[in-house]
Amino acid sequence: MLRPRDLVVVGASAGGVEALSAFAGGLPGDLPASVLVVLHLPPGAVSALPAILARSGPLPVREAEDGEPMERSCIYTAPPDRHLLVEDGVMRLSRGPTENGHRPAIDALFRSAARAFGSAVTGVVLSGSLDDGVNGLELIKTRGGRAVVQDPGEAVFPSMPENALARVEADFVLPAKEMGGVLADYVREHVDPAEADPMPIIDEVELHVARSGDGAEAGIPEVVDVSEPSGLACPDCDGVLFSLDDRGNRYRCRVGHAWTAQALFERQTLDIEHALWAALRALEEQRDLAARMARDATDRGFPLVADRYQRHREESAHAVSVLRRFLYSGVGVAGAGVQDTSA
């Protein structure tokens, strides 16, 4: 049965408020489609995004509510600390595991939209760091949907658009404010969602995990049943990460935390640097304690004990000097990490 492409899903991260404001400003006021938006937000935040986007363009903007039907000519935003998903024509909010450290996650929305709407969905990737949303956009294209990506040259943070373009054949690459006209044309296209290719089992499993605790259907395999251990550990829970593709780009742990290779590498970099700073602090404390113990041994007339603690002090002081130079050099762990050069 033919239907219009009347669902638009949008993902943004760093620099996303500016991009989303331009995007909303370019949408026609009579756009016959529902627009669902995920912007990465800290868990405890109170989102001002609906108010910002309502001032930026002609469409009404509301924060999504669980079980709410989607209306056309309306923008819905994901609330903080909830995945925004699409299921049976309504929006669902979930506290499923984080993806790349984020909840809401762009991939979770895109994945659910691709499953529920097939070829009748258009995915939009805007400014952001790393590569959240890339796998979901790839799935949207695989199932016959459209892909629109912000011009990286316009994005405040171009990494997310660049990664999307490296993996997905986008239908259009445009400045955010020029996307409205393209989307208005897409909505006039009629497609048969039933003709979409079946969802890969891995994506079904990931969608099931994102919906965990919210009445997700039984019978879906667990991550451990459809993937192999990667030999890597999850930064969130220290559990084994399982590789979800043969390219080593996607990982999930047993309890559901999801990581792309880029996000995992950056998180490992931060964790290593944190550990090195903790080691520096411990070495400085050991140096100072050894000096006190050497003085105390000298005062009590134990020169051999004093000499031993003095050697400990000198060894710790040398280690402090080496580690401090490494951390301050800018070419060590932090310099080797995945950095957004536009920052």
PDB file of all heavy atoms in Angstrom, residues 251-287:
ATOM      1  N   TYR A 251      29.797  -2.037  18.750  1.00  0.00           N
ATOM      2  CA  TYR A 251      29.957  -2.942  19.878  1.00  0.00           C
ATOM      3  C   TYR A 251      28.808  -2.739  20.868  1.00  0.00           C
ATOM      4  O   TYR A 251      28.269  -1.631  20.999  1.00  0.00           O
ATOM      5  CB  TYR A 251      31.276  -2.681  20.617  1.00  0.00           C
ATOM      6  CG  TYR A 251      32.503  -2.809  19.748  1.00  0.00           C
ATOM      7  CD1 TYR A 251      33.026  -1.713  19.071  1.00  0.00           C
ATOM      8  CD2 TYR A 251      33.138  -4.038  19.599  1.00  0.00           C
ATOM      9  CE1 TYR A 251      34.149  -1.828  18.271  1.00  0.00           C
ATOM     10  CE2 TYR A 251      34.273  -4.167  18.795  1.00  0.00           C
ATOM     11  CZ  TYR A 251      34.764  -3.058  18.139  1.00  0.00           C
ATOM     12  OH  TYR A 251      35.867  -3.178  17.343  1.00  0.00           O
ATOM     13  N   ARG A 252      28.432  -3.814  21.560  1.00  0.00           N
ATOM     14  CA  ARG A 252      27.517  -3.741  22.699  1.00  0.00           C
ATOM     15  C   ARG A 252      27.977  -4.720  23.765  1.00  0.00           C
ATOM     16  O   ARG A 252      28.531  -5.773  23.465  1.00  0.00           O
ATOM     17  CB  ARG A 252      26.079  -4.104  22.294  1.00  0.00           C
ATOM     18  CG  ARG A 252      25.237  -2.916  21.866  1.00  0.00           C
ATOM     19  CD  ARG A 252      23.771  -3.271  21.798  1.00  0.00           C
ATOM     20  NE  ARG A 252      23.029  -2.262  21.095  1.00  0.00           N
ATOM     21  CZ  ARG A 252      22.432  -1.233  21.679  1.00  0.00           C
ATOM     22  NH1 ARG A 252      22.484  -1.090  22.990  1.00  0.00           N
ATOM     23  NH2 ARG A 252      21.763  -0.357  20.956  1.00  0.00           N
ATOM     24  N   CYS A 253      27.705  -4.359  25.025  1.00  0.00           N
ATOM     25  CA  CYS A 253      27.996  -5.278  26.112  1.00  0.00           C
ATOM     26  C   CYS A 253      26.746  -6.098  26.436  1.00  0.00           C
ATOM     27  O   CYS A 253      25.660  -5.842  25.898  1.00  0.00           O
ATOM     28  CB  CYS A 253      28.483  -4.528  27.346  1.00  0.00           C
ATOM     29  SG  CYS A 253      27.221  -3.510  28.141  1.00  0.00           S
ATOM     30  N   ARG A 254      26.885  -7.040  27.317  1.00  0.00           N
ATOM     31  CA  ARG A 254      25.788  -7.934  27.655  1.00  0.00           C
ATOM     32  C   ARG A 254      24.568  -7.173  28.166  1.00  0.00           C
ATOM     33  O   ARG A 254      23.423  -7.545  27.864  1.00  0.00           O
ATOM     34  CB  ARG A 254      26.251  -8.939  28.714  1.00  0.00           C
ATOM     35  CG  ARG A 254      25.168  -9.879  29.199  1.00  0.00           C
ATOM     36  CD  ARG A 254      25.681 -10.771  30.309  1.00  0.00           C
ATOM     37  NE  ARG A 254      26.676 -11.710  29.819  1.00  0.00           N
ATOM     38  CZ  ARG A 254      26.374 -12.912  29.338  1.00  0.00           C
ATOM     39  NH1 ARG A 254      25.110 -13.318  29.279  1.00  0.00           N
ATOM     40  NH2 ARG A 254      27.330 -13.721  28.931  1.00  0.00           N
ATOM     41  N   VAL A 255      24.785  -6.114  28.950  1.00  0.00           N
ATOM     42  CA  VAL A 255      23.644  -5.387  29.520  1.00  0.00           C
ATOM     43  C   VAL A 255      23.110  -4.314  28.578  1.00  0.00           C
ATOM     44  O   VAL A 255      22.088  -3.693  28.871  1.00  0.00           O
ATOM     45  CB  VAL A 255      23.986  -4.774  30.897  1.00  0.00           C
ATOM     46  CG1 VAL A 255      24.357  -5.862  31.874  1.00  0.00           C
ATOM     47  CG2 VAL A 255      25.101  -3.739  30.778  1.00  0.00           C
ATOM     48  N   GLY A 256      23.814  -4.053  27.449  1.00  0.00           N
ATOM     49  CA  GLY A 256      23.225  -3.204  26.428  1.00  0.00           C
ATOM     50  C   GLY A 256      23.917  -1.919  26.078  1.00  0.00           C
ATOM     51  O   GLY A 256      23.526  -1.254  25.123  1.00  0.00           O
ATOM     52  N   HIS A 257      24.945  -1.493  26.833  1.00  0.00           N
ATOM     53  CA  HIS A 257      25.645  -0.261  26.449  1.00  0.00           C
ATOM     54  C   HIS A 257      26.246  -0.425  25.055  1.00  0.00           C
ATOM     55  O   HIS A 257      26.900  -1.435  24.774  1.00  0.00           O
ATOM     56  CB  HIS A 257      26.753   0.070  27.451  1.00  0.00           C
ATOM     57  CG  HIS A 257      26.269   0.272  28.846  1.00  0.00           C
ATOM     58  ND1 HIS A 257      26.683  -0.490  29.903  1.00  0.00           N
ATOM     59  CD2 HIS A 257      25.365   1.157  29.341  1.00  0.00           C
ATOM     60  CE1 HIS A 257      26.087  -0.090  31.004  1.00  0.00           C
ATOM     61  NE2 HIS A 257      25.266   0.899  30.691  1.00  0.00           N
ATOM     62  N   ALA A 258      26.025   0.560  24.203  1.00  0.00           N
ATOM     63  CA  ALA A 258      26.465   0.475  22.809  1.00  0.00           C
ATOM     64  C   ALA A 258      27.555   1.506  22.529  1.00  0.00           C
ATOM     65  O   ALA A 258      27.522   2.622  23.065  1.00  0.00           O
ATOM     66  CB  ALA A 258      25.291   0.707  21.862  1.00  0.00           C
ATOM     67  N   TRP A 259      28.501   1.112  21.690  1.00  0.00           N
ATOM     68  CA  TRP A 259      29.605   1.996  21.320  1.00  0.00           C
ATOM     69  C   TRP A 259      29.946   1.791  19.850  1.00  0.00           C
ATOM     70  O   TRP A 259      29.974   0.666  19.366  1.00  0.00           O
ATOM     71  CB  TRP A 259      30.860   1.680  22.157  1.00  0.00           C
ATOM     72  CG  TRP A 259      30.656   1.913  23.616  1.00  0.00           C
ATOM     73  CD1 TRP A 259      30.219   1.008  24.539  1.00  0.00           C
ATOM     74  CD2 TRP A 259      30.864   3.143  24.306  1.00  0.00           C
ATOM     75  NE1 TRP A 259      30.134   1.607  25.765  1.00  0.00           N
ATOM     76  CE2 TRP A 259      30.519   2.908  25.655  1.00  0.00           C
ATOM     77  CE3 TRP A 259      31.292   4.404  23.924  1.00  0.00           C
ATOM     78  CZ2 TRP A 259      30.598   3.904  26.623  1.00  0.00           C
ATOM     79  CZ3 TRP A 259      31.382   5.398  24.885  1.00  0.00           C
ATOM     80  CH2 TRP A 259      31.038   5.141  26.210  1.00  0.00           C
ATOM     81  N   THR A 260      30.217   2.897  19.165  1.00  0.00           N
ATOM     82  CA  THR A 260      30.905   2.796  17.886  1.00  0.00           C
ATOM     83  C   THR A 260      32.402   2.804  18.175  1.00  0.00           C
ATOM     84  O   THR A 260      32.845   3.177  19.272  1.00  0.00           O
ATOM     85  CB  THR A 260      30.560   3.969  16.964  1.00  0.00           C
ATOM     86  OG1 THR A 260      31.019   5.196  17.560  1.00  0.00           O
ATOM     87  CG2 THR A 260      29.046   4.044  16.728  1.00  0.00           C
ATOM     88  N   ALA A 261      33.191   2.392  17.196  1.00  0.00           N
ATOM     89  CA  ALA A 261      34.635   2.332  17.401  1.00  0.00           C
ATOM     90  C   ALA A 261      35.195   3.709  17.743  1.00  0.00           C
ATOM     91  O   ALA A 261      36.048   3.848  18.627  1.00  0.00           O
ATOM     92  CB  ALA A 261      35.315   1.765  16.150  1.00  0.00           C
ATOM     93  N   GLN A 262      34.732   4.750  17.058  1.00  0.00           N
ATOM     94  CA  GLN A 262      35.245   6.089  17.321  1.00  0.00           C
ATOM     95  C   GLN A 262      34.930   6.540  18.736  1.00  0.00           C
ATOM     96  O   GLN A 262      35.783   7.071  19.449  1.00  0.00           O
ATOM     97  CB  GLN A 262      34.657   7.092  16.319  1.00  0.00           C
ATOM     98  CG  GLN A 262      35.281   7.038  14.947  1.00  0.00           C
ATOM     99  CD  GLN A 262      34.913   8.246  14.111  1.00  0.00           C
ATOM    100  OE1 GLN A 262      34.504   9.284  14.634  1.00  0.00           O
ATOM    101  NE2 GLN A 262      35.033   8.124  12.813  1.00  0.00           N
ATOM    102  N   ALA A 263      33.671   6.349  19.149  1.00  0.00           N
ATOM    103  CA  ALA A 263      33.273   6.778  20.490  1.00  0.00           C
ATOM    104  C   ALA A 263      34.002   5.971  21.553  1.00  0.00           C
ATOM    105  O   ALA A 263      34.408   6.507  22.596  1.00  0.00           O
ATOM    106  CB  ALA A 263      31.764   6.643  20.654  1.00  0.00           C
ATOM    107  N   LEU A 264      34.180   4.679  21.317  1.00  0.00           N
ATOM    108  CA  LEU A 264      34.893   3.841  22.269  1.00  0.00           C
ATOM    109  C   LEU A 264      36.341   4.283  22.395  1.00  0.00           C
ATOM    110  O   LEU A 264      36.891   4.366  23.504  1.00  0.00           O
ATOM    111  CB  LEU A 264      34.817   2.377  21.817  1.00  0.00           C
ATOM    112  CG  LEU A 264      35.530   1.353  22.694  1.00  0.00           C
ATOM    113  CD1 LEU A 264      34.932   1.319  24.094  1.00  0.00           C
ATOM    114  CD2 LEU A 264      35.460  -0.040  22.049  1.00  0.00           C
ATOM    115  N   PHE A 265      36.975   4.584  21.265  1.00  0.00           N
ATOM    116  CA  PHE A 265      38.377   5.027  21.293  1.00  0.00           C
ATOM    117  C   PHE A 265      38.515   6.324  22.085  1.00  0.00           C
ATOM    118  O   PHE A 265      39.428   6.470  22.902  1.00  0.00           O
ATOM    119  CB  PHE A 265      38.898   5.209  19.866  1.00  0.00           C
ATOM    120  CG  PHE A 265      40.360   5.506  19.792  1.00  0.00           C
ATOM    121  CD1 PHE A 265      41.281   4.474  19.751  1.00  0.00           C
ATOM    122  CD2 PHE A 265      40.830   6.811  19.753  1.00  0.00           C
ATOM    123  CE1 PHE A 265      42.641   4.736  19.682  1.00  0.00           C
ATOM    124  CE2 PHE A 265      42.186   7.081  19.692  1.00  0.00           C
ATOM    125  CZ  PHE A 265      43.097   6.044  19.653  1.00  0.00           C
ATOM    126  N   GLU A 266      37.610   7.263  21.855  1.00  0.00           N
ATOM    127  CA  GLU A 266      37.695   8.530  22.587  1.00  0.00           C
ATOM    128  C   GLU A 266      37.469   8.316  24.079  1.00  0.00           C
ATOM    129  O   GLU A 266      38.151   8.913  24.916  1.00  0.00           O
ATOM    130  CB  GLU A 266      36.691   9.544  22.043  1.00  0.00           C
ATOM    131  CG  GLU A 266      36.671  10.831  22.853  1.00  0.00           C
ATOM    132  CD  GLU A 266      36.237  12.033  22.062  1.00  0.00           C
ATOM    133  OE1 GLU A 266      36.930  12.415  21.115  1.00  0.00           O
ATOM    134  OE2 GLU A 266      35.197  12.588  22.431  1.00  0.00           O
ATOM    135  N   ARG A 267      36.484   7.468  24.424  1.00  0.00           N
ATOM    136  CA  ARG A 267      36.228   7.214  25.838  1.00  0.00           C
ATOM    137  C   ARG A 267      37.428   6.528  26.489  1.00  0.00           C
ATOM    138  O   ARG A 267      37.806   6.854  27.627  1.00  0.00           O
ATOM    139  CB  ARG A 267      34.973   6.363  25.980  1.00  0.00           C
ATOM    140  CG  ARG A 267      34.651   5.928  27.393  1.00  0.00           C
ATOM    141  CD  ARG A 267      34.363   7.103  28.331  1.00  0.00           C
ATOM    142  NE  ARG A 267      34.078   6.579  29.660  1.00  0.00           N
ATOM    143  CZ  ARG A 267      32.841   6.268  30.078  1.00  0.00           C
ATOM    144  NH1 ARG A 267      31.791   6.431  29.260  1.00  0.00           N
ATOM    145  NH2 ARG A 267      32.643   5.795  31.292  1.00  0.00           N
ATOM    146  N   GLN A 268      38.059   5.580  25.794  1.00  0.00           N
ATOM    147  CA  GLN A 268      39.257   4.942  26.331  1.00  0.00           C
ATOM    148  C   GLN A 268      40.362   5.960  26.548  1.00  0.00           C
ATOM    149  O   GLN A 268      41.083   5.917  27.561  1.00  0.00           O
ATOM    150  CB  GLN A 268      39.735   3.841  25.376  1.00  0.00           C
ATOM    151  CG  GLN A 268      38.866   2.608  25.350  1.00  0.00           C
ATOM    152  CD  GLN A 268      39.339   1.601  24.316  1.00  0.00           C
ATOM    153  OE1 GLN A 268      40.014   1.975  23.346  1.00  0.00           O
ATOM    154  NE2 GLN A 268      38.988   0.344  24.501  1.00  0.00           N
ATOM    155  N   THR A 269      40.512   6.886  25.616  1.00  0.00           N
ATOM    156  CA  THR A 269      41.518   7.928  25.743  1.00  0.00           C
ATOM    157  C   THR A 269      41.290   8.757  27.001  1.00  0.00           C
ATOM    158  O   THR A 269      42.224   9.037  27.763  1.00  0.00           O
ATOM    159  CB  THR A 269      41.501   8.833  24.500  1.00  0.00           C
ATOM    160  OG1 THR A 269      41.798   8.060  23.345  1.00  0.00           O
ATOM    161  CG2 THR A 269      42.520   9.954  24.626  1.00  0.00           C
ATOM    162  N   LEU A 270      40.040   9.146  27.232  1.00  0.00           N
ATOM    163  CA  LEU A 270      39.722   9.929  28.427  1.00  0.00           C
ATOM    164  C   LEU A 270      39.969   9.123  29.697  1.00  0.00           C
ATOM    165  O   LEU A 270      40.485   9.644  30.690  1.00  0.00           O
ATOM    166  CB  LEU A 270      38.267  10.393  28.363  1.00  0.00           C
ATOM    167  CG  LEU A 270      37.918  11.381  27.253  1.00  0.00           C
ATOM    168  CD1 LEU A 270      36.419  11.655  27.233  1.00  0.00           C
ATOM    169  CD2 LEU A 270      38.693  12.690  27.427  1.00  0.00           C
ATOM    170  N   ASP A 271      39.594   7.834  29.676  1.00  0.00           N
ATOM    171  CA  ASP A 271      39.796   6.990  30.856  1.00  0.00           C
ATOM    172  C   ASP A 271      41.280   6.801  31.154  1.00  0.00           C
ATOM    173  O   ASP A 271      41.706   6.806  32.320  1.00  0.00           O
ATOM    174  CB  ASP A 271      39.132   5.624  30.645  1.00  0.00           C
ATOM    175  CG  ASP A 271      37.616   5.693  30.725  1.00  0.00           C
ATOM    176  OD1 ASP A 271      37.094   6.745  31.150  1.00  0.00           O
ATOM    177  OD2 ASP A 271      36.955   4.707  30.337  1.00  0.00           O
ATOM    178  N   ILE A 272      42.080   6.619  30.096  1.00  0.00           N
ATOM    179  CA  ILE A 272      43.522   6.458  30.295  1.00  0.00           C
ATOM    180  C   ILE A 272      44.119   7.737  30.866  1.00  0.00           C
ATOM    181  O   ILE A 272      44.926   7.700  31.810  1.00  0.00           O
ATOM    182  CB  ILE A 272      44.212   6.077  28.969  1.00  0.00           C
ATOM    183  CG1 ILE A 272      43.795   4.669  28.538  1.00  0.00           C
ATOM    184  CG2 ILE A 272      45.733   6.160  29.101  1.00  0.00           C
ATOM    185  CD1 ILE A 272      44.204   4.324  27.123  1.00  0.00           C
ATOM    186  N   GLU A 273      43.723   8.872  30.317  1.00  0.00           N
ATOM    187  CA  GLU A 273      44.261  10.130  30.836  1.00  0.00           C
ATOM    188  C   GLU A 273      43.854  10.337  32.291  1.00  0.00           C
ATOM    189  O   GLU A 273      44.661  10.776  33.116  1.00  0.00           O
ATOM    190  CB  GLU A 273      43.784  11.308  29.976  1.00  0.00           C
ATOM    191  CG  GLU A 273      44.393  12.630  30.407  1.00  0.00           C
ATOM    192  CD  GLU A 273      44.105  13.756  29.442  1.00  0.00           C
ATOM    193  OE1 GLU A 273      43.548  13.502  28.381  1.00  0.00           O
ATOM    194  OE2 GLU A 273      44.448  14.908  29.798  1.00  0.00           O
ATOM    195  N   HIS A 274      42.609  10.002  32.614  1.00  0.00           N
ATOM    196  CA  HIS A 274      42.159  10.103  34.002  1.00  0.00           C
ATOM    197  C   HIS A 274      43.010   9.219  34.906  1.00  0.00           C
ATOM    198  O   HIS A 274      43.416   9.631  36.009  1.00  0.00           O
ATOM    199  CB  HIS A 274      40.688   9.694  34.094  1.00  0.00           C
ATOM    200  CG  HIS A 274      40.149   9.688  35.489  1.00  0.00           C
ATOM    201  ND1 HIS A 274      39.750  10.838  36.138  1.00  0.00           N
ATOM    202  CD2 HIS A 274      39.961   8.667  36.373  1.00  0.00           C
ATOM    203  CE1 HIS A 274      39.330  10.534  37.357  1.00  0.00           C
ATOM    204  NE2 HIS A 274      39.449   9.226  37.519  1.00  0.00           N
ATOM    205  N   ALA A 275      43.301   8.000  34.454  1.00  0.00           N
ATOM    206  CA  ALA A 275      44.116   7.090  35.256  1.00  0.00           C
ATOM    207  C   ALA A 275      45.530   7.626  35.439  1.00  0.00           C
ATOM    208  O   ALA A 275      46.127   7.494  36.515  1.00  0.00           O
ATOM    209  CB  ALA A 275      44.146   5.708  34.594  1.00  0.00           C
ATOM    210  N   LEU A 276      46.076   8.250  34.388  1.00  0.00           N
ATOM    211  CA  LEU A 276      47.428   8.801  34.495  1.00  0.00           C
ATOM    212  C   LEU A 276      47.482   9.979  35.455  1.00  0.00           C
ATOM    213  O   LEU A 276      48.449  10.129  36.216  1.00  0.00           O
ATOM    214  CB  LEU A 276      47.927   9.207  33.107  1.00  0.00           C
ATOM    215  CG  LEU A 276      48.248   8.047  32.153  1.00  0.00           C
ATOM    216  CD1 LEU A 276      48.609   8.578  30.775  1.00  0.00           C
ATOM    217  CD2 LEU A 276      49.380   7.184  32.707  1.00  0.00           C
ATOM    218  N   TRP A 277      46.446  10.833  35.435  1.00  0.00           N
ATOM    219  CA  TRP A 277      46.420  11.932  36.410  1.00  0.00           C
ATOM    220  C   TRP A 277      46.300  11.400  37.830  1.00  0.00           C
ATOM    221  O   TRP A 277      46.908  11.916  38.772  1.00  0.00           O
ATOM    222  CB  TRP A 277      45.266  12.886  36.101  1.00  0.00           C
ATOM    223  CG  TRP A 277      45.544  13.816  34.969  1.00  0.00           C
ATOM    224  CD1 TRP A 277      44.998  13.784  33.724  1.00  0.00           C
ATOM    225  CD2 TRP A 277      46.469  14.915  34.955  1.00  0.00           C
ATOM    226  NE1 TRP A 277      45.512  14.793  32.939  1.00  0.00           N
ATOM    227  CE2 TRP A 277      46.412  15.504  33.666  1.00  0.00           C
ATOM    228  CE3 TRP A 277      47.331  15.448  35.898  1.00  0.00           C
ATOM    229  CZ2 TRP A 277      47.190  16.603  33.318  1.00  0.00           C
ATOM    230  CZ3 TRP A 277      48.111  16.552  35.545  1.00  0.00           C
ATOM    231  CH2 TRP A 277      48.027  17.107  34.272  1.00  0.00           C
ATOM    232  N   ALA A 278      45.504  10.325  37.999  1.00  0.00           N
ATOM    233  CA  ALA A 278      45.400   9.707  39.326  1.00  0.00           C
ATOM    234  C   ALA A 278      46.744   9.120  39.751  1.00  0.00           C
ATOM    235  O   ALA A 278      47.136   9.206  40.931  1.00  0.00           O
ATOM    236  CB  ALA A 278      44.328   8.620  39.312  1.00  0.00           C
ATOM    237  N   ALA A 279      47.472   8.516  38.799  1.00  0.00           N
ATOM    238  CA  ALA A 279      48.796   7.984  39.106  1.00  0.00           C
ATOM    239  C   ALA A 279      49.759   9.100  39.489  1.00  0.00           C
ATOM    240  O   ALA A 279      50.578   8.948  40.414  1.00  0.00           O
ATOM    241  CB  ALA A 279      49.332   7.200  37.906  1.00  0.00           C
ATOM    242  N   LEU A 280      49.677  10.238  38.793  1.00  0.00           N
ATOM    243  CA  LEU A 280      50.528  11.377  39.123  1.00  0.00           C
ATOM    244  C   LEU A 280      50.253  11.862  40.549  1.00  0.00           C
ATOM    245  O   LEU A 280      51.188  12.135  41.323  1.00  0.00           O
ATOM    246  CB  LEU A 280      50.300  12.505  38.118  1.00  0.00           C
ATOM    247  CG  LEU A 280      51.086  13.801  38.367  1.00  0.00           C
ATOM    248  CD1 LEU A 280      52.584  13.539  38.303  1.00  0.00           C
ATOM    249  CD2 LEU A 280      50.687  14.865  37.348  1.00  0.00           C
ATOM    250  N   ARG A 281      48.979  11.968  40.895  1.00  0.00           N
ATOM    251  CA  ARG A 281      48.636  12.379  42.257  1.00  0.00           C
ATOM    252  C   ARG A 281      49.195  11.400  43.284  1.00  0.00           C
ATOM    253  O   ARG A 281      49.794  11.796  44.297  1.00  0.00           O
ATOM    254  CB  ARG A 281      47.126  12.480  42.406  1.00  0.00           C
ATOM    255  CG  ARG A 281      46.666  12.713  43.848  1.00  0.00           C
ATOM    256  CD  ARG A 281      45.182  12.511  44.005  1.00  0.00           C
ATOM    257  NE  ARG A 281      44.727  11.225  43.507  1.00  0.00           N
ATOM    258  CZ  ARG A 281      44.924  10.065  44.140  1.00  0.00           C
ATOM    259  NH1 ARG A 281      45.579  10.029  45.296  1.00  0.00           N
ATOM    260  NH2 ARG A 281      44.469   8.947  43.625  1.00  0.00           N
ATOM    261  N   ALA A 282      49.039  10.091  43.037  1.00  0.00           N
ATOM    262  CA  ALA A 282      49.521   9.087  43.981  1.00  0.00           C
ATOM    263  C   ALA A 282      51.040   9.139  44.114  1.00  0.00           C
ATOM    264  O   ALA A 282      51.584   9.000  45.221  1.00  0.00           O
ATOM    265  CB  ALA A 282      49.071   7.699  43.526  1.00  0.00           C
ATOM    266  N   LEU A 283      51.745   9.350  43.002  1.00  0.00           N
ATOM    267  CA  LEU A 283      53.202   9.435  43.054  1.00  0.00           C
ATOM    268  C   LEU A 283      53.662  10.668  43.838  1.00  0.00           C
ATOM    269  O   LEU A 283      54.639  10.601  44.604  1.00  0.00           O
ATOM    270  CB  LEU A 283      53.771   9.473  41.633  1.00  0.00           C
ATOM    271  CG  LEU A 283      53.786   8.139  40.883  1.00  0.00           C
ATOM    272  CD1 LEU A 283      54.059   8.359  39.409  1.00  0.00           C
ATOM    273  CD2 LEU A 283      54.835   7.195  41.496  1.00  0.00           C
ATOM    274  N   GLU A 284      52.981  11.791  43.648  1.00  0.00           N
ATOM    275  CA  GLU A 284      53.346  12.994  44.399  1.00  0.00           C
ATOM    276  C   GLU A 284      53.118  12.791  45.899  1.00  0.00           C
ATOM    277  O   GLU A 284      53.929  13.220  46.730  1.00  0.00           O
ATOM    278  CB  GLU A 284      52.558  14.197  43.887  1.00  0.00           C
ATOM    279  CG  GLU A 284      52.995  14.667  42.512  1.00  0.00           C
ATOM    280  CD  GLU A 284      52.309  15.959  42.094  1.00  0.00           C
ATOM    281  OE1 GLU A 284      51.237  16.254  42.656  1.00  0.00           O
ATOM    282  OE2 GLU A 284      52.854  16.648  41.217  1.00  0.00           O
ATOM    283  N   GLU A 285      52.015  12.137  46.235  1.00  0.00           N
ATOM    284  CA  GLU A 285      51.754  11.857  47.647  1.00  0.00           C
ATOM    285  C   GLU A 285      52.792  10.898  48.214  1.00  0.00           C
ATOM    286  O   GLU A 285      53.254  11.065  49.360  1.00  0.00           O
ATOM    287  CB  GLU A 285      50.347  11.278  47.807  1.00  0.00           C
ATOM    288  CG  GLU A 285      49.242  12.286  47.532  1.00  0.00           C
ATOM    289  CD  GLU A 285      47.857  11.672  47.626  1.00  0.00           C
ATOM    290  OE1 GLU A 285      47.771  10.437  47.814  1.00  0.00           O
ATOM    291  OE2 GLU A 285      46.868  12.423  47.515  1.00  0.00           O
ATOM    292  N   GLN A 286      53.181   9.879  47.426  1.00  0.00           N
ATOM    293  CA  GLN A 286      54.202   8.937  47.886  1.00  0.00           C
ATOM    294  C   GLN A 286      55.545   9.642  48.055  1.00  0.00           C
ATOM    295  O   GLN A 286      56.283   9.366  49.018  1.00  0.00           O
ATOM    296  CB  GLN A 286      54.327   7.783  46.907  1.00  0.00           C
ATOM    297  CG  GLN A 286      55.257   6.673  47.393  1.00  0.00           C
ATOM    298  CD  GLN A 286      55.350   5.529  46.421  1.00  0.00           C
ATOM    299  OE1 GLN A 286      55.786   5.735  45.289  1.00  0.00           O
ATOM    300  NE2 GLN A 286      54.945   4.340  46.849  1.00  0.00           N
ATOM    301  N   ARG A 287      55.888  10.534  47.151  1.00  0.00           N
ATOM    302  CA  ARG A 287      57.135  11.307  47.264  1.00  0.00           C
ATOM    303  C   ARG A 287      57.160  12.100  48.563  1.00  0.00           C
ATOM    304  O   ARG A 287      58.146  12.084  49.323  1.00  0.00           O
ATOM    305  CB  ARG A 287      57.256  12.249  46.067  1.00  0.00           C
ATOM    306  CG  ARG A 287      58.448  13.193  46.095  1.00  0.00           C
ATOM    307  CD  ARG A 287      58.194  14.351  45.158  1.00  0.00           C
ATOM    308  NE  ARG A 287      57.014  15.114  45.575  1.00  0.00           N
ATOM    309  CZ  ARG A 287      56.389  16.015  44.791  1.00  0.00           C
ATOM    310  NH1 ARG A 287      56.815  16.225  43.553  1.00  0.00           N
ATOM    311  NH2 ARG A 287      55.350  16.682  45.245  1.00  0.00           N
TER     312      ARG A 287
END
